[in-house]
Amino acid sequence: MAVQIQTVSQASEKRFAPDDFPLPAVPAPQPYLYGLKSSWPIAQDLTGSNAPCRLEGEIADLIVHGTVPPAIAGTFYRVMCDPFVPPHPNNIPLDGDGHISAFRFHDGRVDMKLRYIETERYLLERRANKALFGLYRNPFTHHPCVRAAVDSTANTNLVFWADKLLALKEGGLPYEVDPHTLDTKGYDPFGPQIKSKTFTAHPKVDPFTDELVVFGYEAKGLATRDIATYTLDKEGRKTDELWLQSPWCAAIHDSIITENWLVLVLWPFESNMERLRAKKQHWAWNYDLKATFIVVPRRQSTVLPNGWKIGETRFYEWKNCMNIHTAGGWEGQDGHIYLETTRVHDNAFPFFPPDDGRMPSPETKADFVRWKLDLTAPSGSVIPDPELILDMPCEFPRIDERFMTKQYNVVFLDVFLPDRSDSGKNIFHGLNGLAMHDHRTGKTRFFYAGDDSMVQEPIFIPRTKDAEEGDGWIVAMIERRLENRCDLAIIDTREFEKPVAIVRLPLHMKAQIHGNWIDAKDLKKVQG
């Protein structure tokens, strides 16, 4: 996502919004502090329910209300954006240190382990006991002693591939973390075969071919238009590499894969070296840029549509908007590519304003839509308006990923239910529920997180290996804002409206950016 923009980072309320932007005021100093000051900046994403967690440790056998189904066996890994030292006062909420919380489910019980990812940046700043890195992805604002260091907080996603738990941040390469101890094992685990300087935080697993589809933007360095795309097989070996040029230096956070294609989703932010050298933010929103999709063949053997040349990619545009995250995509029988995204009709990250300083309207609309791409259209074509699926603020769509690359039926999302809240009426006021939408029936079921509660990205666990699509459990972290504490909700998708168990956490934790589930059978392959 105090009121939050629950977008790429649920972990943040914005520092740079003007007074009329719909965010809560920073809490006033409390009398019991006697006017004493802290070294931490006064910022909305560092106070109240968004205060840093900064804890490492373990708690066994958390208190459970209800019954955790014994069939749930594995670990829910989530990563927080959690600065360990006071950050640069003008830095953005997306740049805190990567902090893992791992919840191990076994025999109806749940254990918790918390560890920071020991990135080079984290270790340097912890030793110095102060911030050495300045603004997000801008080395011109860093202390000279760290300008050659790896500037990655590894704080965006955790993905298990080739028996490695990868901690990901799209401005660098992966860090590898031991899935049992959470010890940091090293940087760049796939070695010199990877030529790109960056690695997406949203690689996609093809469950039918046992491949991980990867891309990296700004792949040859800051503000470059170079994009690298490639595949890693189940042993971590690179195949099917293709380099291309972005229409501009754009932020490319998410993508979809089909059986034969990779589609990159571009946000209308732009970066350039002039901005960086001027010590400004890495990104600036541009109202003249369009929401753009780049279509890339996954393999050299991909059968190309008429008119395509070997090695060619094409891009397609709509209007100015921000397609934040994807659910999935597929190839239709009509030869078109279909993909589904959450969409905000303005800049969802006001801490990256345009050069003229405009802020998005407090009434900015958000929804969930399906796009159609006609690959026979020439590159640069304008695509039709998307099909509206959910006309309500929503984010963090997830599917039953056993069906990735195919046409799926069930989508899970975080949503905002205005009739269950005394807050505002759009995505800037947070996400207080979960939705389970079935494309076959058009029906949507809802789970309400509770009064003064915010729900984070859901993960789906199939009931069995061969269970029907969407049959299983949803696990999601819930922030109890008044109690300054968190819970885990376990929901059976057969009765989606109420949980079967609530796992009580005795502390507050920063909201995750992303997380994933790893089955116990897969974890047993890795020596702990």
Side-chain angles (χ1 to χ4, degrees):
M1 343 208 173
V3 231
Q4 305 177 4
I5 299 180
Q6 307 287 350
T7 54
V8 167
S9 170
Q10 277 192 303
S12 56
E13 298 172 293
K14 309 312 171 205
R15 286 192 176 101
F16 303 114
D19 292 340
D20 60 350
F21 198 74
L23 295 173
V26 175
Q30 298 298 322
Y32 52 75
L33 295 177
Y34 299 95
L36 299 173
K37 304 295 184 182
S38 166
S39 61
W40 286 77
I42 298 175
Q44 290 161 331
D45 60 296
L46 297 174
T47 59
S49 61
N50 277 321
C53 177
R54 302 176 71 237
L55 292 174
E56 293 187 308
E58 303 179 25
I59 303 177
D61 200 8
L62 292 163
I63 295 173
V64 175
H65 291 251
T67 301
V68 176
I72 300 180
T75 302
F76 171 32
Y77 295 92
R78 59 190 292 278
V79 63
M80 303 175 280
C81 181
D82 193 7
F84 186 82
V85 299
H88 186 292
N90 291 324
N91 203 7
I92 64 163
L94 303 180
D95 207 27
D97 295 299
H99 190 183
I100 299 175
S101 51
F103 296 89
R104 178 175 172 247
F105 288 70
H106 61 102
D107 306 313
R109 299 182 178 185
V110 183
D111 303 330
M112 180 178 72
K113 186 189 294 283
L114 301 174
R115 287 289 301 275
Y116 270 99
I117 303 161
E118 294 187 344
T119 65
E120 184 176 12
R121 171 171 165 162
Y122 166 84
L123 292 174
L124 287 167
E125 292 192 324
R126 182 158 186 172
R127 289 171 189 148
N129 200 30
K130 65 179 181 180
L132 300 171
F133 293 79
L135 301 182
Y136 171 76
R137 293 174 72 178
N138 188 342
F140 297 99
T141 65
H142 300 345
H143 191 283
C145 72
V146 299
R147 286 182 181 171
V150 174
D151 181 14
S152 171
T153 52
N155 69 6
T156 308
N157 205 356
L158 294 162
V159 173
F160 190 65
W161 189 253
D163 293 338
K164 303 177 190 296
L165 181 59
L166 307 175
L168 303 175
K169 179 80 171 180
E170 61 200 51
L173 298 173
Y175 276 89
E176 182 183 356
V177 176
D178 186 294
H180 302 289
T181 66
L182 302 186
D183 291 339
T184 302
K185 301 180 72 173
Y187 183 67
D188 190 14
F190 299 112
Q193 64 174 332
I194 308 301
K195 305 302 182 185
S196 172
K197 294 184 177 182
T198 59
F199 189 110
T200 176
H202 283 293
K204 302 297 181 181
V205 175
D206 186 332
F208 301 98
T209 63
D210 281 332
E211 294 175 313
L212 186 73
V213 181
V214 181
F215 70 91
Y217 69 92
E218 292 184 85
K220 290 186 178 179
L222 288 172
T224 62
R225 293 169 51 209
D226 303 277
I227 301 172
T229 68
Y230 53 93
T231 295
L232 294 173
D233 67 17
K234 61 183 179 180
E235 305 298 330
R237 295 180 297 245
K238 183 184 71 174
T239 64
D240 292 301
E241 184 176 42
L242 178 64
W243 287 70
L244 59 139
Q245 290 282 301
S246 178
W248 74 94
C249 182
I252 311 175
H253 180 67
D254 208 351
S255 66
I256 63 99
I257 58 171
T258 69
E259 182 178 353
N260 296 292
W261 301 92
L262 164 67
V263 180
L264 307 174
V265 180
L266 280 61
W267 293 343
F269 295 100
E270 61 178 345
S271 184
N272 58 63
M273 290 304 297
E274 291 74 22
R275 176 178 291 110
L276 298 178
R277 290 192 182 99
K279 299 185 178 181
K280 297 180 179 180
Q281 296 292 345
H282 188 94
W283 297 113
W285 184 264
N286 187 331
Y287 283 101
D288 293 327
L289 294 173
K290 312 298 183 184
T292 300
F293 306 89
I294 302 178
V295 182
V296 183
R298 277 182 55 183
R299 305 176 185 86
Q300 292 181 353
S301 60
T302 295
V303 177
L304 301 176
N306 291 335
W308 281 61
K309 300 177 182 178
I310 295 175
E312 182 180 0
T313 63
R314 295 188 181 185
F315 70 90
Y316 302 97
E317 299 178 326
W318 193 65
K319 303 172 185 176
N320 183 265
C321 73
M322 190 169 174
N323 294 307
I324 301 180
H325 284 108
T326 65
W330 65 91
E331 298 167 31
Q333 294 183 351
D334 55 6
H336 298 150
I337 290 178
Y338 295 86
L339 67 152
E340 295 178 340
T341 74
T342 53
R343 174 180 62 168
V344 176
H345 293 247
D346 206 323
N347 177 8
F349 286 174
F351 46 83
F352 289 138
D355 289 335
D356 62 13
R358 274 182 287 173
M359 286 286 124
S361 165
E363 301 305 318
T364 295
K365 182 177 174 58
D367 46 31
F368 182 65
V369 295
R370 179 182 298 171
W371 303 91
K372 181 173 73 172
L373 306 179
D374 180 359
L375 303 194
T376 64
S379 190
S381 297
V382 176
I383 60 176
D385 292 348
E387 176 186 350
L388 183 61
I389 298 173
L390 285 180
D391 188 11
M392 64 190 313
C394 51
E395 240 293 66
F396 298 105
R398 301 298 294 261
I399 65 172
D400 183 339
E401 292 178 359
R402 297 174 299 162
F403 296 85
M404 185 72 74
T405 76
K406 307 296 184 184
Q407 184 170 359
Y408 50 86
N409 297 305
V410 180
V411 183
F412 306 97
L413 311 94
D414 286 2
V415 295
F416 176 63
L417 302 172
D419 59 331
R420 302 296 298 271
S421 170
D422 58 1
S423 186
K425 298 180 180 180
N426 58 48
I427 196 170
F428 294 121
H429 293 275
L431 301 168
N432 57 12
L434 291 167
M436 177 180 176
H437 181 79
D438 193 321
H439 288 313
R440 294 165 295 193
T441 63
K443 294 183 178 179
T444 308
R445 302 167 66 184
F446 296 101
F447 165 80
Y448 177 56
D451 294 343
D452 295 298
S453 298
M454 295 295 169
V455 64
Q456 299 171 24
E457 179 186 46
I459 56 107
F460 172 73
I461 306 168
R463 194 176 306 273
T464 62
K465 184 179 179 180
D466 56 355
E468 181 182 348
E469 180 188 354
D471 181 26
W473 300 276
I474 288 291
V475 177
M477 183 71 75
I478 297 177
E479 177 192 357
R480 307 298 187 190
R481 293 169 59 199
L482 292 183
E483 298 179 43
N484 198 29
R485 196 184 51 73
C486 295
D487 290 333
L488 278 182
I490 295 96
I491 303 167
D492 192 318
T493 60
R494 294 178 181 177
E495 193 174 4
F496 191 75
E497 290 75 14
K498 64 180 182 179
V500 295
I502 294 289
V503 181
R504 305 276 287 178
L505 275 60
L507 74 164
H508 157 268
M509 291 196 296
K510 290 277 283 187
Q512 74 198 56
I513 297 187
H514 292 293
N516 281 294
W517 173 259
I518 303 177
D519 192 89
K521 294 179 181 178
D522 294 320
L523 290 173
K524 287 180 180 178
K525 302 174 185 177
V526 182
Q527 183 176 356

